[in-house]
Amino acid sequence: MYPDRVVSGMRPTGALHLGHYHGALKNWIRVQAEHPCLFFVADWHALTTHYDDPGIVERSTWDMVVDWLAAGIDPSQATIFIQSKVPEHAELHLLLSMATPLGWLERVPSYKDQIDNLAHKDLATYGFLGYPLLQAADVLIYRASMVPVGEDQLPHVEMMREVARRFNHIYGKEKGFEEKAIAAVKKLGSKRAKLYLELRTAYHQEGEVDALEQARAMLDDAGSLSNIDRERLFGYLEGSRRIILAEPQALLTQSSRLPGLDGRKMSKSYGNAIALREERDSVVKKIRTMPTDPARVRRTDPGDPKRCPVWQLHEVYSDGATRDWVVKGCTSAGIGCIECKQPVIDGVLAEQEPMHERAQPYLDDPTLVRAIVADGCDKARRLAQETMRDVREAMGLAYT
Ligand code: TRP
Ligand code: SF4
C-alpha cells in the first residue's frame, strides 16, 4: 500500500568491527541497490544503555557513518541520517506509548536478558523499557515495508507489527467509513471494482490469503487513487478500519556470524574484535597472536582445525583449495600455525583495503560526512512529517 521502503538503524556505542560488516552491513549494501533505503544512527537507543556516558555516543556517531560509507553504503542510493535529528520519531514514540500495554514491553525477550547481561548498570529505567517501542516508532514513521535485522531483533519487529495493528484498530475508525470505502471502490473503475469486491469476499468468507494479496497488489497499481482512498480500500479489505501505519516485515540477515579472534562471537566487549578500519599492522599482529588448537603445543604436534578459531576464519575468508590445504597440513603437522594464518591475514586485509580507500576522502574532509547526513536528515524528516500529519489527525490532534 505504502511505497516500498527499507528502514534500519544501528546504535553508536563504539567503533564498528568486521562482525558488524558480515552480520549487518553486507545485507544493507545488498538491499540499497534493490529498494529505497533509510539507514540511521540510533543515538537515542544508544543512550538507553549509555545514558551515563553520552560522550561515546557523540564520538561514535560520526565514526559510524564513516564506517558505513567505507563499507560501501552509497549516499546516492540510501538515505543516511541521525535519529535525534528527526524529532518526529520521539513524538510518534510518545503517542504510541499511550496505547501500548506495559506487558508487551516487559515480555520482549531482550528486555530481561539485557538487564541481566548488563547487571553493572541500572537499566530499570523508563527509557530502557521503552526501547522496543522507540524502535517501532523508527520504522512505522516511514511506513516501511521491510526491516533488515539480525535474528535477535525478530521479537522487536513482531512487536512493531502488533503496535501498528493496534494503532489502526483504535485510531483508524472513521465516521461513515463503510460509505466512504464503497465510494472509493467505485473510483477503481467497474472492472477493477468488481474484482476488488470478489477478492474481498473470498478473503472474508473463505479466508483466502492469496485473494488478499492479489487485491493489495491491484491497489498498489491503481495509480488514480488518492492516498486516503487507497488507505481506506486497504482497510476495507481486512475489516472496517483505515490502515494508517503499515505493518513491516523483517528481512533476515543471512546469518554469517563472524567469529572473533578467540572463536566466540566477535564483540568489542570480549576483546576479540578487528575494527572495520583497523590499521594493517595491528590486523597482522592480532591474527598472528590469536590462539590456535590448544593441543598443538609444538610444531610437530598434529592439530584439529575443528578446535581452532583460525579455522573458523578460514571458513569465511578462504576458498576450498586453501581449506583443503589447511585440513591436510594441520592434521599431519605438515604446516605451522603462522603459515596457516597467512591466507586469513591476506583475506582480511584484502577485504579492508577498499574500505580504507573509500573512507579516506571523508577523513580528509569531514564536512563531506556532515553534508551527507544533513541531506539525509532533511529527506527523512519530510517523510516522517507526512506520516505524523496522518497520525495527529487520526488521534484528534490536528486542531484545524
Ligand atoms: N535495536 C537495534 C539493534 O540493536 C537498533 C535499532 C534501533 C533498529 N532502531 C531500529 C534496527 C529500527 C532496525 C530498525 O540492532
Ligand atoms: Fe589452527 Fe591452522 Fe594451527 Fe591447525 S595449523 S591449529 S588450523 S592455525
Side-chain angles (χ1 to χ4, degrees):
M1 142 170 81
Y2 291 110
D4 174 35
R5 208 175 269 161
V6 172
V7 173
S8 199
M10 239 183 242
R11 293 154 34 91
T13 53
L16 295 189
H17 52 64
L18 291 176
H20 295 111
Y21 176 66
H22 286 266
L25 282 173
K26 270 196 336 202
N27 212 30
W28 288 16
I29 291 159
R30 196 163 43 76
V31 286
Q32 71 177 352
E34 296 161 6
H35 307 275
C37 288
L38 293 135
F39 297 130
F40 68 95
V41 182
D43 55 346
W44 283 334
H45 277 104
L47 285 173
T48 63
T49 51
H50 290 62
Y51 56 84
D52 54 356
D53 187 13
I56 178 129
V57 176
E58 186 182 12
R59 278 193 304 281
S60 311
T61 289
W62 296 111
D63 286 349
M64 191 158 89
V65 174
V66 175
D67 282 338
W68 290 357
L69 296 166
I73 299 292
D74 175 358
S76 72
Q77 298 190 64
T79 303
I80 299 174
F81 69 99
I82 299 173
Q83 184 185 35
S84 65
K85 292 280 179 197
V86 185
E88 285 78 6
H89 289 224
E91 183 185 355
L92 183 59
H93 176 216
L94 176 85
L95 293 178
L96 295 175
S97 78
M98 304 301 171
T100 301
L102 273 179
W104 288 15
L105 297 167
E106 289 160 346
R107 219 175 54 209
V108 173
S110 58
Y111 180 60
K112 288 221 163 57
D113 290 357
Q114 285 278 64
I115 288 195
D116 294 344
N117 287 347
L118 303 174
H120 56 284
K121 237 177 220 168
D122 183 6
L123 289 183
T125 59
Y126 183 51
F128 189 67
L129 178 67
Y131 186 111
L133 192 64
L134 178 58
Q135 189 169 347
D138 293 337
V139 174
L140 299 180
I141 204 160
Y142 301 104
R143 295 170 157 154
S145 42
M146 277 179 295
V147 197
V149 285
E151 212 160 340
D152 61 312
Q153 297 284 309
L154 284 182
H156 291 180
V157 177
E158 194 42 51
M159 206 195 85
M160 290 171 195
R161 298 168 56 83
E162 284 169 15
V163 169
R165 235 175 280 146
R166 187 172 169 88
F167 186 94
N168 295 328
H169 182 74
I170 299 176
Y171 304 107
K173 268 185 263 171
E174 196 183 19
K175 263 229 297 282
F177 177 82
E178 182 109 16
E179 291 74 27
K180 286 180 188 159
I182 289 167
V185 173
K186 296 212 173 99
K187 293 184 201 161
L188 284 171
S190 60
K191 233 171 88 194
R192 276 192 168 140
K194 184 160 166 275
L195 179 61
Y196 174 88
L197 292 172
E198 280 167 11
L199 292 169
R200 178 175 185 269
T201 307
Y203 176 63
H204 281 212
Q205 293 183 356
E206 322 292 337
E208 281 180 34
V209 181
D210 285 354
L212 183 64
E213 290 303 321
Q214 206 187 325
R216 284 181 175 156
M218 180 184 79
L219 292 178
D220 277 333
D221 291 344
S224 61
L225 284 178
S226 69
N227 272 342
I228 187 134
D229 275 341
R230 199 187 308 268
E231 268 173 33
R232 288 192 182 107
L233 290 181
F234 270 101
Y236 190 55
L237 267 180
E238 289 173 62
S240 58
R241 299 283 197 276
R242 281 170 62 199
I243 307 283
I244 299 159
L245 297 178
E247 284 180 47
Q249 234 144 31
L251 184 67
L252 252 196
T253 305
Q254 289 139 354
S255 93
S256 53
R257 180 167 284 189
L258 188 71
L261 294 164
D262 58 0
R264 291 186 293 171
K265 177 184 179 215
M266 188 176 280
S267 158
K268 196 179 43 146
S269 57
Y270 292 159
N272 65 359
I274 298 175
L276 199 90
R277 292 180 281 125
E278 183 136 355
E279 297 282 343
R280 253 182 102 86
D281 293 349
S282 166
V283 172
V284 173
K285 191 160 148 221
K286 278 186 175 174
I287 298 176
R288 286 226 172 110
T289 54
M290 74 184 273
T292 59
D293 176 1
R296 226 190 150 189
V297 183
R298 263 161 273 136
R299 165 71 176 79
T300 48
D301 299 332
D304 178 2
K306 286 206 187 58
R307 296 160 175 272
C308 178
V310 179
W311 170 248
Q312 296 189 44
L313 292 178
H314 274 295
E315 291 191 305
V316 177
Y317 288 101
S318 298
D319 58 16
T322 308
R323 291 204 297 261
D324 287 347
W325 169 79
V326 171
V327 172
K328 271 204 203 91
C330 179
T331 52
S332 64
I335 58 171
C337 290
I338 289 289
E339 208 179 339
C340 177
K341 287 171 171 178
Q342 194 56 46
V344 171
I345 293 174
D346 296 341
V348 172
L349 292 178
E351 177 168 83
Q352 288 176 315
E353 185 153 317
M355 299 196 198
H356 285 295
E357 272 168 28
R358 276 190 294 256
Q360 201 53 53
Y362 300 112
L363 299 174
D364 293 341
D365 182 3
T367 65
L368 292 175
V369 183
R370 302 296 197 269
I372 288 168
V373 169
D375 186 46
C377 291
D378 281 349
K379 275 195 206 139
R381 196 146 191 221
R382 273 198 301 276
L383 299 175
Q385 282 170 344
E386 260 173 46
T387 308
M388 285 315 294
R389 262 198 297 278
D390 292 350
V391 166
R392 288 190 208 111
E393 188 223 11
M395 291 183 76
L397 299 167
Y399 300 111
T400 45

